[in-house]
Amino acid sequence: MTDNDSRDRISRRRYLETIGVTGTGVALAGCTSGSGTPTTEGSDTDSESGGGSTPSAGGTFVIGSSSKASTLDLHKATRRPEQTILSAIHEPMFRINPELEPEAHLASDWSMNDDATEYVFTLEEGITFHNGDELDAEEVVWSWERFVENSPQSYLLSPADSFEATGDYEVTVSFNDPYPLLPRYLTNPLTGFVSRSAVEDAENYGQDIAVGTGPYTWESWERGTAITVSRYEEYDWAPDFVSNQGPGYPEEFRFEHHPEATTLLNELTDGGVHGSSYITLTDTGEVESSSDASLVRKEYTRPGFLAINTQKEPTDNVNVRRAINHAVNKQPVIEAALGGEGYPIWSIVPEIAVNGLSEDRAKELGEQYSQSKARELLEQEGWTNSSEGETRTKNGEELTLTFYAFTIPRYAQMGEVIAPMLGEVGINAELEVLEAGTLYNNLESGNHHITTMAYGGNWAVNATEPILLGENTATEGGTNYSLWQNDEFDELLNRAKTSPDEATREEAITEAQELILEEAPVTPICAFNKIYGYKNEVAGMDNWTEHDWWPDQEWMNRLELGL
């Protein structure tokens, strides 16, 4: 995790936490129509029970997970299982609206000065924590300061020079340098608010109690089995774009832990689980063929790619990197690693992300599959062989690359499919599938030439910064496993983050993505997708999945879903 002296750094440990969660059951699946509408299979959404109908009030909605929470302290949580539960208990200042813009939620008004160094937020009055405390300016300041001090994602707010209560319901946040993306960062659920008195009164906050302003309140924690939250009857301040302003429909949400994939599948199709985003790829067909359960799919912005070491011979040569890109045929990788449940990408930022390059532009600038072009580039750099498939040599040295992959099946399978593709153009890629600790120790030491990776975000800036910013190199504890150092890219990214002018920011992030394609420090392969399996008796699914980023908007299904 990030310590207080290096909050701005994208830490390796935080990435490990993230990818570890992804690897322990987050389901990835198919695709949607071009409009972004999720595909629904196996159910009649016009039926009396099912995605299109209105939920009834009452009952217990059971959510199945293959991974369990370790804390419910919002400002110390790191993993998705925790955030899934916390999305019912807590709320951030802003939400992402259907137009994919930050929209004030707990603030009735807000303003930013011309150079984006000062923000003033006017809070909605009458919003209360579950213990009856009011959300006022002092509570907001206290929560944000606690977030900066404790959260693994403290870098989102740590650039702030000060948080100040400038009125009973007014908060002023000041920065020394322009920080125009603050509203976007304040949509992150971990920047939300906890009750100060609850923290100060609890002996073990986050283990015995958690108190927020969300639509559901802490009820119980059966260790290793389930966490239950109950409806907050006073809740009526959901965003305008949500059909149900509150309170939520179910009387309770019960988050059950089912570590075995087969058990979770059976509980969804023929047991007590009503919904789960943890169904594994190999089980999606079982859900679709069930008479009692259905599946929704969604193209997602998380990319799978190769990080290419730009500091180690021979991959320090841009033409060798481009040859690697040309040698990889994306679709067979998708079939093998994702069971066909994904889609190819030509830029490290998928087109569906905000400010992502268009597919046509990415294809125009990027390296599409072409073994002949790969061979031509390698020949141009002096790497030759006498027959196709024979390992190339240069000055008596073989073109052999160290290739690492994570033990999580889809990343290992990516490596297993890609290595022989590289062999077909004369690159001997020696694949080693490593457990997490060994893998990251080797990556931090720069021992690799290439490695399978996955890291992304819904905005181009956030997707590229962790994996390619110069100061985030793995040898310095970051997640730039390409070890890419490019001053032009760093300056473009800085401009995309700090310019008060939106057009300037958009131009900068476009140029930054084009530079990535030109220099080829990564090989974009495919974007992972998300799925949600649910019992046919679940209602309100259509309301949740209308949002283009519905997999990320889990908080909405606490208000929209029911039985």
Side-chain angles (χ1 to χ4, degrees), residues 28 281-282 304 330-342 408-418 452 525-526 528:
L28 313 168
L281 286 172
T282 54
K330 304 176 194 297
Q331 195 58 44
V333 180
I334 295 170
E335 295 294 333
L338 303 179
E341 307 261 16
I408 291 174
R410 61 176 168 272
Y411 303 119
Q413 290 163 359
M414 285 173 65
E416 290 164 1
V417 176
I418 291 171
T452 57
I525 299 174
C526 59
F528 303 151

Side-chain angles (χ1 to χ4, degrees), residues 446-458:
N447 294 334
H448 63 295
H449 287 104
I450 49 180
T451 185
T452 57
M453 273 292 142
Y455 202 117
N458 290 332

Side-chain angles (χ1 to χ4, degrees), residues 68-72 76-79 81-82 206-207 221 223 227:
K68 60 184 178 182
S70 58
T71 179
L72 291 185
K76 296 180 181 179
T78 60
R79 302 171 60 247
E82 297 152 357
Q207 298 295 324
W221 188 345
R223 304 292 164 169
I227 292 173

Side-chain angles (χ1 to χ4, degrees), residues 267-531:
E267 285 294 321
L268 177 67
T269 58
D270 195 32
V273 167
H274 294 108
S276 178
S277 57
Y278 284 80
I279 302 302
T280 62
L281 286 172
T282 54
D283 290 335
T284 56
E286 295 291 331
V287 177
E288 291 175 315
S289 63
S290 168
S291 60
D292 295 324
S294 301
L295 195 74
V296 283
R297 292 179 163 94
K298 177 68 177 177
E299 284 189 352
Y300 200 56
T301 57
R302 185 178 180 87
F305 61 95
L306 299 180
I308 308 176
N309 190 339
T310 60
Q311 300 297 317
K312 186 175 182 179
E313 294 183 350
T315 51
D316 60 340
N317 183 291
V318 66
N319 280 339
V320 173
R321 300 196 297 270
R322 288 174 177 165
I324 292 171
N325 285 0
H326 279 304
V328 177
N329 188 355
K330 304 176 194 297
Q331 195 58 44
V333 180
I334 295 170
E335 295 294 333
L338 303 179
E341 307 261 16
Y343 64 99
I345 57 173
W346 282 265
S347 169
I348 193 60
V349 181
E351 181 181 19
I352 61 175
V354 172
N355 301 134
L357 289 183
S358 70
E359 183 175 305
D360 288 344
R361 182 60 172 161
K363 284 183 175 180
E364 175 187 348
L365 298 176
E367 314 297 339
Q368 297 185 54
Y369 175 60
S370 172
Q371 290 185 334
S372 61
K373 288 185 179 179
R375 296 183 181 111
E376 180 182 329
L377 287 166
L378 294 172
E379 293 277 352
Q380 183 179 320
E381 296 305 319
W383 294 100
T384 62
N385 59 9
S386 57
S387 62
E388 290 185 3
E390 180 182 69
T391 299
R392 294 174 179 272
T393 60
K394 180 179 179 180
N395 299 327
E397 179 183 353
E398 287 192 343
L399 182 51
T400 298
L401 305 182
T402 299
F403 187 2
Y404 293 147
F406 202 5
T407 50
I408 291 174
R410 61 176 168 272
Y411 303 119
Q413 290 163 359
M414 285 173 65
E416 290 164 1
V417 176
I418 291 171
M421 291 179 179
L422 299 179
E424 291 177 10
V425 300
I427 300 173
N428 177 28
E430 297 183 336
L431 179 66
E432 298 181 55
V433 178
L434 305 174
E435 58 86 27
T438 303
L439 172 68
Y440 288 103
N441 285 338
N442 276 283
L443 294 176
E444 286 182 350
S445 300
N447 294 334
H448 63 295
H449 287 104
I450 49 180
T451 185
T452 57
M453 273 292 142
Y455 202 117
N458 290 332
W459 289 277
V461 169
N462 307 93
T464 54
E465 179 179 8
I467 62 172
L468 291 170
L469 187 68
E471 68 180 47
N472 289 333
T473 57
T475 51
E476 298 297 324
T479 51
N480 175 353
Y481 297 108
S482 300
L483 308 184
W484 194 40
Q485 300 278 346
N486 187 292
D487 291 342
E488 182 182 358
F489 173 80
D490 289 357
E491 172 54 34
L492 287 168
L493 197 61
N494 181 64
R495 197 184 312 159
K497 291 173 58 181
T498 63
S499 174
D501 179 64
E502 183 176 1
T504 300
R505 295 199 303 270
E506 291 180 357
E507 180 181 9
I509 194 58
T510 296
E511 291 181 15
Q513 292 171 84
E514 292 174 347
L515 183 59
I516 294 168
L517 290 171
E518 179 182 338
E519 292 295 319
V522 293
T523 300
I525 299 174
C526 59
F528 303 151
N529 302 299
K530 289 191 176 183
I531 66 167

Side-chain angles (χ1 to χ4, degrees), residues 46 115 166 232 299 308 386 452 550:
D46 294 325
D115 63 358
T166 48
Y232 184 35
E299 284 189 352
I308 308 176
S386 57
T452 57
W550 61 265

